[in-house]
Amino acid sequence: MAKLITVFGSTGTQGGSVATALLKLLKGQDFKVRAVTRNASSDKAKALQAKGAEVVVASLDDPSTLGPALQGSHGVFVTTNYWEHMDQEREIKQGKAIADAAKAAGVLHVVFSGLENVEKIAGFPCLHFDGKGQIEEYMTSLKLPVTFVRYSAYYENYTSALKPQKLEDGTYIVGVPMEGAAMDIVSAGDMGPAVRTIFKNRAEWLGRAVGFSGDKLTIQQTADILSKHLAPKVFKPSDMTADAFGQLGFPGADDLGNMFKFYRLHNPDRSVELTRQLHPAAKTFDTWVAENKEALQNALD
């Protein structure tokens, strides 16, 4: 009998990819998908419904909606979004609420999109990591049957938050302050099949933390790949430090600066090899840029 997987964040990048991958698997013979959204009438929710998902309305901010959303679920994929409200306390509360609800519902496999507790590891805060780290710790304390998946920085960010900036001389600066160190990156929209493999092989992955990475590149290598595919545009790496980035003054700059510092100094456990074991077709950055030239050009123009 097909096992029911409930997917939170089903209309977002991570959850949408997971729901779509599960729905593609033998057309529902292995899994049935319950897609959780706050707005069932959105185009993305309707698209999931058209692919065969059951769409239900619930919110991580309203614990009373979580029990009904999880009823009868074998597994649940959960992602929380610090950046939506930039409120760490709220994110932790959401994570604890879904953990409690999954425990009460007897869910047999929770896959949580977590991150490390940077404050604990490195001694400086990184709020959007630390909140997820605290949720991971809470889930572990409940003895939930859980697998933690930790995403690297997204390729997709190069069309939005990390979009290269045009300089006066016409070249583009890739403003990621890694100070010469390599950084793991991944297509978040490409990781649904990896999560699907984890759900299919529950016993193998329970109790583990899996760091997703599609590629590990210096910012010079990143710039070279962008230059190759988006010629005649020319890209070069920023020489900014993570500390200087943290002083830029936009909301969340200090948090992102500390994230880059954590990446550089502590080289968190992300694995291209393990990611390809879970999803052999996981794209390299070079392949992703080649496939997304138009989106990148539109973002830059």
Side-chain angles (χ1 to χ4, degrees):
M1 202 169 88
K3 294 169 179 167
L4 176 63
I5 307 291
T6 296
V7 179
F8 283 81
S10 63
T11 57
T13 304
Q14 290 187 22
S17 175
V18 170
T20 300
L22 290 168
L23 287 164
K24 279 182 182 169
L25 192 66
L26 300 178
K27 289 297 177 196
Q29 289 176 41
D30 286 273
F31 296 115
K32 293 184 294 185
V33 174
R34 180 179 289 154
V36 179
T37 178
R38 287 169 300 184
N39 179 10
S41 60
S42 72
D43 290 344
K44 288 181 177 178
K46 286 178 179 172
L48 286 171
Q49 197 163 25
K51 290 176 187 171
E54 173 197 0
V55 175
V56 301
V57 175
S59 168
L60 291 174
D61 284 318
D62 183 356
S64 71
T65 65
L66 301 180
L70 291 175
Q71 192 171 11
S73 299
H74 165 83
V76 58
F77 176 80
V78 183
T79 179
T80 55
N81 183 5
Y82 168 82
W83 296 107
E84 185 177 8
H85 303 288
M86 294 181 68
D87 181 342
Q88 187 195 56
E89 199 176 312
R90 183 171 182 171
E91 183 181 24
I92 293 168
K93 197 173 172 185
Q94 291 175 343
K96 287 183 173 181
I98 190 65
D100 291 340
K103 180 82 171 176
V107 173
L108 293 174
H109 195 183
V110 177
V111 178
F112 175 62
S113 178
L115 287 168
E116 292 85 356
N117 188 328
V118 172
E119 177 92 68
K120 227 176 222 188
I121 296 166
F124 53 81
C126 183
L127 300 182
H128 75 284
F129 270 58
D130 297 344
K132 288 182 176 63
Q134 288 186 49
I135 295 166
E136 284 194 10
E137 290 158 15
Y138 183 73
M139 287 180 166
T140 301
S141 77
L142 288 184
K143 296 187 167 54
L144 275 183
V146 66
T147 304
F148 301 120
V149 291
R150 296 170 180 165
Y151 287 70
S152 304
Y154 301 169
Y155 299 165
E156 288 86 352
N157 287 345
Y158 284 106
T159 64
S160 54
L162 297 180
K163 182 174 77 172
Q165 299 300 309
K166 192 172 187 177
L167 302 178
E168 283 182 14
D169 65 3
T171 60
Y172 288 81
I173 195 92
V174 183
V176 179
M178 285 298 292
E179 302 174 50
M183 182 174 84
D184 287 289
I185 45 177
V186 73
S187 169
D190 193 27
M191 286 296 97
V195 174
R196 181 181 68 198
T197 301
I198 288 169
F199 276 123
K200 277 188 75 178
N201 299 281
R202 174 182 179 271
E204 184 182 348
W205 298 100
L206 272 184
R208 294 174 67 176
V210 182
F212 288 155
S213 176
D215 225 333
K216 186 163 188 166
L217 302 170
T218 64
I219 307 310
Q220 180 66 64
Q221 290 170 316
T222 303
D224 291 345
I225 289 167
L226 290 167
S227 295
K228 177 175 85 170
H229 289 290
L230 301 176
K233 291 182 171 74
V234 175
F235 297 80
K236 58 186 183 183
S238 168
D239 57 8
M240 183 178 281
T241 65
D243 286 340
F245 186 99
Q247 301 299 316
L248 288 176
F250 64 84
D254 51 347
D255 212 50
L256 291 171
N258 282 347
M259 176 188 77
F260 292 123
K261 194 196 311 192
F262 175 65
Y263 282 155
R264 180 171 57 85
L265 296 178
H266 293 273
N267 193 26
D269 187 11
R270 306 286 183 268
S271 172
V272 173
E273 188 178 82
L274 195 58
T275 303
R276 292 233 154 73
Q277 181 188 325
L278 288 162
H279 180 35
K283 294 180 188 74
T284 62
F285 185 63
D286 187 86
T287 301
W288 184 85
V289 173
E291 290 181 4
N292 290 274
K293 276 164 70 167
E294 192 177 342
L296 286 158
Q297 294 278 20
N298 290 341
L300 294 168
D301 297 339

Short mmCIF file of all heavy atoms in Angstrom, two decimals, residues 23 35 40-56:
data_model
loop_
_atom_site.label_atom_id
_atom_site.label_comp_id
_atom_site.label_asym_id
_atom_site.label_seq_id
_atom_site.Cartn_x
_atom_site.Cartn_y
_atom_site.Cartn_z
N LEU A 23 5.69 12.52 -6.20
CA LEU A 23 4.55 12.27 -7.09
C LEU A 23 4.97 11.57 -8.37
O LEU A 23 4.19 10.82 -8.98
CB LEU A 23 3.86 13.60 -7.44
CG LEU A 23 3.05 14.23 -6.30
CD1 LEU A 23 2.75 15.69 -6.61
CD2 LEU A 23 1.75 13.45 -6.06
N ALA A 35 0.15 17.66 0.31
CA ALA A 35 0.87 18.93 0.20
C ALA A 35 0.23 19.95 1.14
O ALA A 35 -0.96 20.25 1.01
CB ALA A 35 0.84 19.43 -1.23
N ALA A 40 -4.51 27.24 -0.47
CA ALA A 40 -4.81 26.13 -1.39
C ALA A 40 -5.23 26.62 -2.77
O ALA A 40 -5.26 25.83 -3.72
CB ALA A 40 -5.92 25.26 -0.79
N SER A 41 -5.52 27.91 -2.90
CA SER A 41 -5.96 28.41 -4.21
C SER A 41 -4.81 29.02 -5.02
O SER A 41 -5.03 29.53 -6.12
CB SER A 41 -7.08 29.45 -4.04
OG SER A 41 -6.61 30.55 -3.27
N SER A 42 -3.58 28.93 -4.52
CA SER A 42 -2.44 29.46 -5.27
C SER A 42 -2.17 28.58 -6.49
O SER A 42 -2.54 27.40 -6.53
CB SER A 42 -1.18 29.51 -4.40
OG SER A 42 -0.67 28.20 -4.17
N ASP A 43 -1.53 29.15 -7.50
CA ASP A 43 -1.22 28.41 -8.73
C ASP A 43 -0.36 27.19 -8.44
O ASP A 43 -0.57 26.11 -9.01
CB ASP A 43 -0.50 29.31 -9.74
CG ASP A 43 -1.43 30.38 -10.32
OD1 ASP A 43 -2.66 30.22 -10.18
OD2 ASP A 43 -0.92 31.36 -10.90
N LYS A 44 0.62 27.34 -7.52
CA LYS A 44 1.52 26.22 -7.21
C LYS A 44 0.76 25.09 -6.50
O LYS A 44 1.00 23.92 -6.77
CB LYS A 44 2.69 26.70 -6.35
CG LYS A 44 3.70 27.54 -7.14
CD LYS A 44 4.86 27.98 -6.27
CE LYS A 44 5.88 28.75 -7.09
NZ LYS A 44 7.00 29.23 -6.26
N ALA A 45 -0.15 25.45 -5.60
CA ALA A 45 -0.97 24.43 -4.92
C ALA A 45 -1.86 23.70 -5.93
O ALA A 45 -1.98 22.46 -5.89
CB ALA A 45 -1.81 25.08 -3.83
N LYS A 46 -2.45 24.45 -6.84
CA LYS A 46 -3.32 23.84 -7.86
C LYS A 46 -2.52 22.92 -8.77
O LYS A 46 -3.01 21.86 -9.20
CB LYS A 46 -4.02 24.93 -8.67
CG LYS A 46 -5.16 25.63 -7.92
CD LYS A 46 -5.76 26.73 -8.77
CE LYS A 46 -6.91 27.42 -8.05
NZ LYS A 46 -7.38 28.60 -8.79
N ALA A 47 -1.27 23.32 -9.08
CA ALA A 47 -0.42 22.48 -9.94
C ALA A 47 -0.10 21.16 -9.26
O ALA A 47 -0.11 20.10 -9.90
CB ALA A 47 0.86 23.23 -10.29
N LEU A 48 0.16 21.19 -7.94
CA LEU A 48 0.43 19.95 -7.20
C LEU A 48 -0.81 19.06 -7.17
O LEU A 48 -0.72 17.84 -7.31
CB LEU A 48 0.90 20.27 -5.78
CG LEU A 48 2.33 20.81 -5.65
CD1 LEU A 48 2.59 21.29 -4.22
CD2 LEU A 48 3.36 19.75 -6.04
N GLN A 49 -1.94 19.69 -7.00
CA GLN A 49 -3.21 18.94 -6.99
C GLN A 49 -3.42 18.25 -8.34
O GLN A 49 -3.83 17.08 -8.41
CB GLN A 49 -4.37 19.89 -6.69
CG GLN A 49 -5.65 19.19 -6.25
CD GLN A 49 -6.61 20.16 -5.57
OE1 GLN A 49 -6.58 21.36 -5.81
NE2 GLN A 49 -7.48 19.65 -4.71
N ALA A 50 -3.10 18.97 -9.41
CA ALA A 50 -3.26 18.41 -10.76
C ALA A 50 -2.32 17.22 -10.98
O ALA A 50 -2.63 16.31 -11.76
CB ALA A 50 -2.98 19.49 -11.80
N LYS A 51 -1.19 17.21 -10.28
CA LYS A 51 -0.24 16.08 -10.40
C LYS A 51 -0.62 14.91 -9.51
O LYS A 51 0.04 13.87 -9.53
CB LYS A 51 1.17 16.55 -10.02
CG LYS A 51 1.81 17.50 -11.01
CD LYS A 51 3.17 17.99 -10.47
CE LYS A 51 3.76 19.07 -11.35
NZ LYS A 51 4.95 19.70 -10.72
N GLY A 52 -1.65 15.09 -8.67
CA GLY A 52 -2.12 13.97 -7.86
C GLY A 52 -1.95 14.14 -6.36
O GLY A 52 -2.25 13.21 -5.60
N ALA A 53 -1.49 15.29 -5.91
CA ALA A 53 -1.33 15.51 -4.47
C ALA A 53 -2.68 15.86 -3.84
O ALA A 53 -3.54 16.48 -4.46
CB ALA A 53 -0.34 16.64 -4.21
N GLU A 54 -2.82 15.44 -2.59
CA GLU A 54 -3.92 15.93 -1.76
C GLU A 54 -3.43 17.25 -1.15
O GLU A 54 -2.37 17.29 -0.53
CB GLU A 54 -4.22 14.92 -0.65
CG GLU A 54 -5.22 15.39 0.38
CD GLU A 54 -5.21 14.57 1.67
OE1 GLU A 54 -4.40 13.62 1.77
OE2 GLU A 54 -5.98 14.89 2.57
N VAL A 55 -4.14 18.32 -1.35
CA VAL A 55 -3.73 19.63 -0.83
C VAL A 55 -4.54 19.97 0.41
O VAL A 55 -5.78 19.93 0.37
CB VAL A 55 -3.87 20.74 -1.91
CG1 VAL A 55 -3.56 22.11 -1.33
CG2 VAL A 55 -2.95 20.44 -3.09
N VAL A 56 -3.84 20.27 1.52
CA VAL A 56 -4.53 20.65 2.75
C VAL A 56 -3.96 21.97 3.26
O VAL A 56 -2.81 22.32 2.99
CB VAL A 56 -4.40 19.57 3.85
CG1 VAL A 56 -4.96 18.24 3.38
CG2 VAL A 56 -2.96 19.41 4.30
#
